[in-house]
Amino acid sequence: QVQVVESGGGLVQAGGSLRLSCTVSGLTFDDYAMGWFRQAPGKEREGVSCIGWSGRGTYYEESVKGRLTISRDNAKNTLYLQMNSLKPEDTALYYCAADLGLGYCGGSWYRPQRYDSWGQGTQVTVSS
């Protein structure tokens, strides 16, 4: 069974930074594309970023470009999201997800339906 566990969320003031981590077990981690998603109350789950199996080929939602950086350490089975210059509108529950069918992100990276295994999420709250 695939297990996905996010960590690193918390409360931070606007302009501050956090680094989210996602540990994955139960699969060959470096075979799969990985994505970060977020969901705020009353809103749809949206794609934040995606990274291919090798760590190359990254994609970002427009509003986070230049502020958030996705990376992975395949030796540690860990996905990261470095979050800088945080804004109140970044407040959401952040999930990581694995696509068990593809090793690259491609044009559908932002679609939640594509991903097969999800964590429970970690809360990020940014105060003004």
Side-chain angles (χ1 to χ4, degrees):
Q1 182 179 1
V2 176
Q3 292 184 305
V4 181
V5 181
E6 303 97 335
S7 63
L11 175 64
V12 64
Q13 293 185 342
S17 298
L18 289 170
R19 189 174 77 157
L20 307 185
S21 299
C22 172
T23 58
V24 181
S25 62
L27 53 73
T28 305
F29 182 73
D30 62 1
D31 283 352
Y32 306 108
M34 298 289 299
W36 283 103
F37 289 76
R38 65 187 180 186
Q39 188 167 22
K43 296 185 178 180
E44 298 290 329
R45 188 170 299 188
E46 67 172 351
V48 176
S49 187
C50 183
I51 188 168
W53 69 270
S54 69
R56 301 179 66 182
T58 57
Y59 296 80
Y60 295 93
E61 194 274 324
E62 184 67 26
S63 70
V64 308
K65 288 181 178 178
R67 300 188 299 113
L68 276 58
T69 303
I70 191 170
S71 63
R72 66 194 297 166
D73 186 338
N74 288 341
K76 297 181 178 180
N77 284 11
T78 301
L79 178 74
Y80 302 99
L81 186 67
Q82 180 65 49
M83 310 172 74
N84 298 327
S85 302
L86 284 165
K87 303 175 180 180
E89 49 263 48
D90 294 317
T91 296
L93 188 64
Y94 282 72
Y95 300 90
C96 70
D99 184 335
L100 302 185
L102 292 174
Y104 60 91
C105 296
S108 64
W109 71 268
Y110 58 89
R111 299 187 180 276
Q113 306 96 297
R114 169 181 162 177
Y115 296 83
D116 303 287
S117 187
W118 296 80
Q120 295 299 305
T122 185
Q123 179 67 39
V124 171
T125 302
V126 184
S127 62
S128 60

